[in-house]
Structures are given as C-alpha cells and as structure tokens.
Amino acid sequence: MTELTAEWQGWLSDNVARGCSSESMIDAMVRAGFDSTHAGALVHVYARGGLASPSSFKPAAVAARPDAGYVYDDLPFEAGNRLDGGDRRVAVAMRCDKPQVLVLDGVLSHEECDEIIERSRSKLSRSTTVDPQTGGESVIERRTSDGTFFKLCEDEFIARIDTRVSRLMNWPLENGEGLQILRYGVGGEYSPHFDYFPPADPGSATHVARSGQRVATMVIYLNDVEAGGATIFPDAGLSVTPRKGCAVYFRYANGRGQLDPLTLHGGAPVTAGEKWIMTKWMRERRYG
C-alpha cells in the first residue's frame, strides 16, 4: 500500500477540481502502486470534499467492511406500523432489529405486478453478478435465474414505481439503481451472498468510487410462489416467504461506515412453479 503523501493529497484535490473521472484517477493511482481498494476509497473521500485531516487517513474509515461489532443505529424513517409511499401507505408486517429487516405488505398492486412481469418476459437473459476481482459482470453457477433491468424512471409507469419505492426506503430517488427483474424456475436459487460490494474484493473499488457503497435493498415479490423460493438470512435464522405485491427491506450500512455481516442472504430453491421478484438497490450517492 502506497503512502498518502502531501504530493498525493494535492494531486487528488487538483484532479477532483479539474473534473477528472473517478475511474481515471483510480487507474492512475493503481499504476503508481496503490492498492485498488485503497485508491477507490481515497477518490471517494476527495470527491465528497476531502479529508479534515488527510495525514490521519485509514483505509478502513472509508472503505467500510463487514464488522462483527456492527452498530445498529436508527433506520432512516420513522417507526410505525405503516410507511408512506406517496401514492399509497404500506403496512409493516414484520420487523427484525438485528439485522435490520422489514417485511412490507402491498408495496405493489397485483395489477402492477402483472404488468412488470409482462413487460419483462421478452427481455430476459441469464443473470450475472459482479466479478469480485475485476468489478465486471459474470455468470455464476450459484445464481440460476434470468433477469432484466429497467432504467431509472424510464417511462411514466416505471417512474411511479421508482418514486414509491424510494419514498418507502426514504432514500433519494437519484441514488437508486434501476429496477432489476428476476425469474427463477423450478430448482432456481441464489446462494447466500451480500448485496454490498465487499471491500476486500479488488473489483469493488470501481463500483464504490462511482456512486458509493450500496446501503439498503428492497426485494418485491411479483407472484405467489407455489413452493420454495423464500428469501433467507442464514446467520440470522430468518426466512421470508414470497407473497405477491409484498416486499422485504434490509439495511446493511450504518452512519459509521460499517457493513452488517448478518445481512448475508439468499434465495432458497424454487421447488414448484416459478418465482418473479423485483429488486431495488440504493447507493450512498447519485447512481450512474
């Protein structure tokens, strides 16, 4: 790991002021000998206004990592039995404090679920995941689904859904990634994984530098699954059964920059019928 000297501090400040892209700055720092995660974290901090005391920088303070001592601060919305989605109020069916998980009823109407499925069916392709080494997209055996994306607010219907979900998650609309749609057939599953970008993976630096770390997820069920297909949190002993129009929300980044290892989760195998879900990921900063 290369030391953050006064010269590097000035270089970072100058290049941010010039409007250089995060990717170009990270590439230059890696070529100069910086660890990619360290470089991504530094660029992320300077893009947000720099460090109050650059000489005291510690990579862990920025490149948050799973922490067994994760501190559960307050969720970013008021406690209560209903959440305000703007055009509808949604009932909270279940709460879990550790990890921070909510199960929500009626996030989408059945008609909205049906329309999303029909819009997606002809666009499906084999799902990919982020390569931990390169940050690119790759197909893996443990994720057996087909999927597609909608761009953020790409039309009036999708904008209504994006706006409602961001209101429910109480996070800026522009910080959300586009809605991802997934279909699992019989035997389809997704082995336990984290939705945040693991800081120890070299490929995570590019994603974090671009829009910040992922902070929370909402998975919305688009159909009733005949059998199987639960969303599982194995280390928390928690399982959520898919129900059409309902959702599971979970938060994994706190105000201290820690990441919650208890949010390890997966999709249990579908044993009968099919499973359709829609996923929204929220980032620290504007996405894209």
Side-chain angles (χ1 to χ4, degrees):
M1 184 176 292
T2 302
E3 181 182 358
L4 185 64
T5 63
E7 288 76 13
W8 275 111
Q9 294 168 25
W11 183 88
L12 281 163
S13 297
D14 290 345
N15 280 276
V16 167
R18 289 170 51 213
C20 294
S21 70
S22 296
E23 290 84 354
S24 66
M25 294 169 65
I26 292 169
D27 287 345
M29 294 177 73
V30 169
R31 289 196 299 270
F34 280 85
D35 171 81
S36 60
T37 302
H38 186 192
L42 285 165
V43 170
H44 170 56
V45 168
Y46 273 79
R48 297 182 68 177
L51 295 163
S53 179
S55 61
S56 65
F57 174 78
K58 300 293 188 299
V62 180
R65 62 194 61 199
D67 192 334
Y70 183 86
V71 175
Y72 291 95
D73 53 11
D74 293 334
L75 287 169
F77 37 77
E78 294 182 4
N81 294 334
R82 289 188 174 274
L83 299 181
D84 184 8
D87 60 350
R88 67 167 56 199
R89 290 181 62 79
V90 172
V92 178
M94 188 275 287
R95 293 179 183 271
C96 178
D97 293 331
K98 298 180 181 181
Q100 291 178 316
V101 178
L102 299 180
V103 177
L104 306 175
D105 284 341
V107 171
L108 298 181
S109 70
H110 284 205
E111 293 75 18
E112 288 171 330
C113 291
D114 293 342
E115 180 166 351
I116 291 168
I117 289 174
E118 288 310 307
R119 284 176 172 229
S120 304
R121 197 180 295 277
S122 64
K123 304 195 300 176
L124 296 175
S125 60
R126 179 65 187 272
S127 298
T128 61
T129 190
V130 175
D131 187 295
Q133 298 301 312
T134 67
E137 300 294 319
S138 61
V139 173
I140 59 173
E141 292 184 3
R142 64 189 182 90
R143 189 181 197 187
T144 51
S145 63
D146 297 317
T148 188
F149 285 87
F150 290 99
K151 295 179 182 178
L152 185 68
C153 298
E154 69 172 56
D155 60 31
E156 184 177 352
F157 174 74
I158 297 300
R160 184 170 78 241
I161 304 301
D162 273 321
T163 300
R164 183 187 307 159
V165 171
S166 69
R167 287 282 297 265
L168 292 171
M169 298 177 77
N170 197 24
W171 208 251
L173 175 68
E174 61 270 20
N175 291 24
E177 298 183 33
L179 295 167
Q180 182 196 55
I181 313 301
L182 295 176
R183 176 200 172 273
Y184 294 84
V186 173
E189 65 178 316
Y190 194 179
S191 299
H193 60 282
F194 297 108
D195 276 3
Y196 53 73
F197 301 109
D201 292 347
S204 295
T206 299
H207 293 278
V208 173
R210 183 182 300 123
S211 300
Q213 182 60 268
R214 285 177 176 166
V215 297
T217 297
M218 184 178 287
V219 177
I220 305 170
Y221 305 107
L222 301 177
N223 72 316
D224 292 319
V225 182
E226 187 174 343
T231 301
I232 58 172
F233 296 82
D235 291 344
L238 181 63
S239 177
V240 180
T241 300
R243 290 184 298 131
K244 187 174 182 176
C246 299
V248 57
Y249 162 93
F250 50 102
R251 177 177 179 248
Y252 33 81
N254 65 14
R256 302 185 180 197
Q258 295 175 310
L259 298 170
D260 185 3
L262 280 181
T263 57
L264 181 74
H265 67 286
V270 175
T271 55
E274 62 179 5
K275 170 187 172 182
W276 287 82
I277 62 171
M278 180 172 72
T279 302
K280 168 66 79 173
W281 293 297
M282 288 294 186
R283 297 287 198 97
E284 290 179 292
R285 305 192 306 276
R286 176 187 290 271
Y287 179 69

